[in-house]
Amino acid sequence: NQDASSLGNNQVYTLCEDIHKNIWIGTSRGVYIFNCNTEKFGFFTHTTEFGVLISSEIKKIVLTKSGKIWIATLGQGFFIYDPERKKLVQDSSFTSFVWDISEDSSGNIYLSSHEEGLLCFDQRGNFIQKEDSYISLENKGNIKINSIKNIDNGIWFSVGTTHLGYLNPKNWKCIYYESKEAGSIRAISE
């Protein structure tokens, strides 16, 4: 049994603070929210209009400029939660395995996929474009994009075990840098 002051899962992968200063916690089995006023944890129980509950491993949670919360999962695609309307939407039509999320200065949302490349969406979750030209690179290892980060209006992302990619969102041109000694890039920060 779990009391309300404890987290119901001990495998935490990501944290995100919402506009109310509550902490969203992505675990190996769904999302928990730590209410800073009550100092208690609660499992995120909202479901989509089709009754889908977020129950898989959560790799990233991001609060976007529009106030929506994007949630990357391994196995269920991605979810967008609108706190104002209390509405949860799921999208697994492009990929079921999302590793990372980043927002650019224009408000576009980028998702890194295990198999489908770098995916770009608008704030409402409408698909814009996909970058997967790296698939033709030699010596790329696997094709998984582990991490993405918007830095100075450019999207940096890791590819497989040997490449770092840079996407210019203005013209959708990519440059790839190879490193034979770097190993897998798991995180990118400013």
Side-chain angles (χ1 to χ4, degrees):
N1 288 342
Q2 168 198 341
D3 67 42
S5 62
S6 66
L7 182 61
N9 189 303
N10 65 358
Q11 293 181 331
V12 174
Y13 297 110
T14 184
L15 302 171
C16 177
E17 184 178 52
D18 68 18
I19 61 170
H20 302 291
K21 304 294 183 195
N22 295 317
I23 307 298
W24 290 61
I25 304 157
T27 74
S28 63
R29 288 179 290 181
V31 176
Y32 289 82
I33 300 173
F34 179 73
N35 183 312
C36 291
N37 293 325
T38 64
E39 296 186 356
K40 295 188 185 223
F41 291 92
F43 187 73
F44 183 70
T45 58
H46 285 14
T47 60
T48 68
E49 65 180 306
F50 304 107
V52 177
L53 177 72
I54 303 173
S55 59
S56 59
E57 184 174 315
I58 309 302
K59 296 308 280 183
K60 187 73 172 233
I61 302 173
V62 171
L63 174 65
T64 63
K65 293 174 181 132
S66 69
K68 294 180 181 170
I69 296 171
W70 286 58
I71 302 165
T73 77
L74 289 186
Q76 290 183 284
F78 67 94
F79 290 84
I80 304 170
Y81 179 64
D82 184 341
E84 286 184 20
R85 295 175 42 217
K86 299 196 182 320
K87 183 175 181 182
L88 182 67
V89 175
Q90 177 191 25
D91 190 333
S92 59
S93 61
F94 294 94
T95 183
S96 293
F97 300 94
V98 181
W99 286 84
D100 204 355
I101 303 172
S102 187
E103 181 177 18
D104 71 13
S105 59
S106 300
N108 292 326
I109 309 296
Y110 296 84
L111 305 178
S112 66
S113 167
H114 182 69
E115 300 167 334
E116 303 301 325
L118 184 67
L119 306 170
C120 181
F121 296 84
D122 67 16
Q123 286 284 326
R124 293 180 310 244
N126 297 316
F127 178 72
I128 296 175
Q129 197 163 348
K130 158 175 149 170
E131 164 52 36
D132 62 2
S133 65
Y134 63 86
I135 292 174
S136 64
L137 293 173
E138 291 185 31
N139 304 319
K140 66 184 170 294
N142 62 50
I143 61 171
K144 178 174 71 171
I145 296 179
N146 288 318
S147 57
I148 52 178
K149 181 75 175 169
N150 173 36
I151 300 174
D152 293 331
N153 297 320
I155 305 300
W156 289 88
F157 57 99
S158 65
V159 178
T161 57
T162 58
H163 286 81
L164 181 65
Y166 170 78
L167 172 69
N168 181 337
K170 292 179 180 158
N171 60 15
W172 208 257
K173 301 283 185 199
C174 272
I175 301 170
Y176 293 96
Y177 304 94
E178 182 178 8
S179 173
K180 295 180 180 168
E181 298 179 24
S184 185
I185 300 169
R186 299 276 181 191
I188 301 171
S189 63
E190 293 182 67

